[in-house]
Amino acid sequence: MTASLRGTLIAHALGLPEAWEDHPWGETVAKVGKKVFVFFGMDPDEADEATHLTVKLPMSHEEALALPFTEPAGYGLDRGHWVTVHAPADWPADMLLDWIEESYRAVAPRKLAQALGG
């Protein structure tokens, strides 16, 4: 993932109500309360141009999995509609930002999710 896109995605996630950054297992994740809503993984290899993240997508799960660069998340997370994304460097950031918000809404307390509107 390019550093600027990674930074944009992390900044967007951390800009959501009461979101905060954590580093379990050496990975970068965004949490709301004690719950992870997006995994960004380890710092990317500079040669890796893909955007990697794992998000919970209860609404757009099937649509996301139809794309050639996505897969069900490992470690049993796939049962909860978690999807791992390996988007090409030129993939539109808007879709990734929307998926981060969908994941946030799926795990955040209702009051915080409603604060986003929409």
Side-chain angles (χ1 to χ4, degrees), residues 89-108:
D90 60 350
W91 192 256
D94 290 347
M95 179 177 276
L96 302 175
L97 296 170
D98 288 347
W99 286 351
I100 289 171
E101 282 193 30
E102 181 178 342
S103 189
Y104 175 87
R105 290 175 189 276
V107 302

Side-chain angles (χ1 to χ4, degrees), residues 13 23 54 65-66 72 79 82 84 103-104 117:
H23 299 278
T54 300
L65 287 178
R79 291 189 298 271
W82 287 86
T84 297
S103 189
Y104 175 87

Side-chain angles (χ1 to χ4, degrees), residues 6-61:
R6 179 181 170 88
T8 297
L9 297 176
I10 291 173
H12 178 72
L14 298 179
L16 297 170
E18 297 186 28
W20 59 284
E21 184 174 335
D22 197 8
H23 299 278
W25 319 288
E27 294 187 48
T28 299
V29 303
K31 291 183 173 182
V32 58
K34 294 182 180 181
K35 296 181 179 182
V36 174
F37 65 93
V38 60
F39 294 85
F40 291 103
M42 307 281 191
D43 283 336
D45 178 345
E46 293 301 320
D48 186 1
E49 292 296 317
T51 300
H52 304 279
L53 64 145
T54 300
V55 286
K56 184 177 180 86
L57 300 176
M59 303 299 290
S60 56
H61 182 254

Side-chain angles (χ1 to χ4, degrees), residues 17 101 104-105 110-118:
E101 282 193 30
Y104 175 87
R105 290 175 189 276
R110 182 175 294 160
K111 178 181 172 184
L112 293 177
Q114 288 175 337
L116 291 179

